Amino acid sequence: MICDTCGHRNAAGREFCAGCEAFLAWEPEAAGEAEPGPRAAGQPEPVAPAPDREPVPPLVPPAVPAPGPVRIPTAPPTAPASPPQPAAAAAAPRRPGDAPDGPAPGPDAWAPGPEAGAPALPGPVAGAALVCPNCRAENPPERTLCVRCALLLDPGPPPALRPPWWRRIFRRRPGKARAAGTRPRRGRRRPRFALPVVLLLLVVGIWFALPHLSGLLGFAKEETGAPEAVVPSAFRSSSSAPGHPVAAAFDGFNNRYWAPRESGDGVGEYLDCSFTQPVRLLKMVVFSGTSARKDEFLTQARPARITVVMTSKGGKESRRTIRLADEPGQQTFDVRGSDTVAVRLTVDSAYGTGKGRRVAVAEVEFFGHRS
């Protein structure tokens, strides 16, 4: 096949030119005989022979068809016949690796590829040809694309994969290249003090942190563990009505209550309680009114706002104001106090006050951890 672009002669069956890599148009394969021309006048059409008997030749000889255009397939140039070899050379046995007889093939002469029935070779042929990994066609060494399937013959090395970040952190940087003929300086190795200093600082830090580790561990345990009930060891009040002492507010029953001596709104009346061992308070539960039952809850006044003062072991006070709902049952509040030894609850306002009515507190409970 002759390339229309550069005029290079290519072997039959090529789809791309071996000289300029241009696409070659396909040409229909010519048959061994010429295409039949039109029938002459009076010539009968051929009759198919019957399947049960031998075909009978026509009685009238067929007319010679008119000469028509005949297409001759273009064939690659053939190499000249090799000269006859002497009998001694022909009879000599051939060893593996010997070159074949005859003149060396030219640049356009190709060995038969896989389409001609030759076995596909896994690598280059004769150390120069490039074998396409897709169609196994042989290509000249200077080719970039395959002459048959146009596949890129030499894609180059694959791109280097970048290592992940955790490997790049501790990876050493490549050393600086030295000029030819130079030698690195041989100096004394200086002792490195960074590692011993760091170890010494760690040991000193652990030594000074040992006394505080127990406290830190205990604090973490208190924060993550469930709080337990802490009962005051002593309690007193500003005043108490007959039959309703201050102990009724800390006895664990919510059907008995504390009430001050004087009736009214009860502003300024307070309850005091103390602990023998310092505790870390977390929560406080208050039962307002005379009882947890609704029919008895409204018989007396109920506190609406209470100021909680917590005193630590060192004498430091922390205040917290809580607001209570006017409903029976327990009401839970978050109170935070470290090393608490005393708590005072002072009434600031009340619900349902009136003549002959006193502020009532049924029960007060504390929850936390003992130090």
Side-chain angles (χ1 to χ4, degrees):
M1 301 180 68
I2 301 177
C3 178
D4 297 337
T5 303
C6 63
H8 183 77
R9 288 180 174 273
N10 299 273
R14 303 294 181 185
E15 297 180 5
F16 295 89
C17 178
C20 63
E21 301 184 1
F23 180 74
L24 302 177
W26 291 285
E27 294 185 4
E29 297 182 0
E33 57 184 357
E35 298 179 358
R39 294 190 304 273
Q43 179 183 359
E45 297 183 358
V47 180
D52 297 337
R53 54 185 178 179
E54 296 182 357
V56 179
L59 299 178
V60 180
V64 178
V70 178
R71 303 188 66 180
I72 301 176
T74 305
T78 57
S82 56
Q85 302 292 334
R94 186 181 300 276
R95 294 178 299 174
D98 292 346
D101 298 334
D108 294 337
W110 293 91
E115 69 280 359
L121 300 178
V125 177
L130 296 177
V131 179
C132 177
N134 182 32
C135 63
R136 311 306 297 173
E138 299 174 5
N139 299 267
E142 66 274 3
R143 289 282 300 182
T144 304
L145 302 178
C146 178
V147 296
R148 174 177 296 174
C149 64
L151 180 71
L152 185 62
L153 297 177
D154 187 12
L161 298 178
R162 190 179 184 186
W165 62 270
W166 64 83
R167 292 186 179 179
R168 298 197 303 269
I169 292 178
F170 301 101
R171 184 178 59 179
R172 293 185 177 180
R173 296 182 179 180
K176 184 179 180 181
R178 301 183 181 275
T182 60
R183 294 183 179 181
R185 296 180 180 179
R186 293 186 178 182
R188 296 181 180 179
R189 292 186 177 181
R190 298 180 180 179
R192 297 182 179 181
F193 297 100
L195 184 59
V197 170
V198 171
L199 293 178
L200 182 61
L201 292 178
L202 288 177
V203 171
V204 172
I206 294 174
W207 175 265
F208 283 101
L210 283 177
H212 306 282
L213 288 178
S214 59
L216 294 175
L217 295 177
F219 177 79
K221 181 179 180 181
E222 291 176 1
E223 291 294 331
T224 57
E228 57 183 7
V230 288
V231 181
S233 58
F235 29 80
R236 65 187 182 89
S237 62
S238 57
S239 63
S240 298
H244 303 287
V246 64
F250 302 96
D251 59 357
F253 298 97
N254 54 22
N255 57 351
R256 294 184 290 188
Y257 63 94
W258 164 84
R261 182 185 298 275
E262 301 294 334
S263 61
D265 55 5
V267 176
E269 300 287 347
Y270 60 87
L271 294 171
D272 274 347
C273 59
S274 59
F275 304 93
T276 304
Q277 183 179 355
V279 296
R280 177 178 175 81
L281 292 181
L282 299 177
K283 295 181 180 297
M284 182 179 67
V285 176
V286 178
F287 288 83
S288 177
T290 60
S291 174
R293 298 177 58 181
K294 191 172 183 179
D295 55 346
E296 300 177 359
F297 173 73
L298 302 176
T299 57
Q300 295 292 340
R302 289 82 56 193
R305 188 174 61 184
I306 297 177
T307 300
V308 182
V309 180
M310 294 170 287
T311 306
S312 64
K313 184 178 180 180
K316 184 179 179 180
E317 294 183 353
S318 59
R319 295 176 176 267
R320 169 81 189 279
T321 301
I322 61 176
R323 297 181 180 274
L324 292 88
D326 193 14
E327 58 184 18
Q330 75 174 26
Q331 301 182 43
T332 305
F333 304 94
D334 291 333
V335 291
R336 300 282 177 168
S338 300
D339 295 336
T340 304
V341 295
V343 179
R344 171 172 286 191
L345 288 77
T346 305
V347 179
D348 295 335
S349 61
Y351 300 108
T353 59
K355 186 178 180 180
R357 299 171 68 90
R358 297 179 175 85
V359 177
V361 177
E363 189 69 21
V364 178
E365 298 177 356
F366 299 97
F367 293 87
H369 301 280
R370 299 184 182 276
S371 300

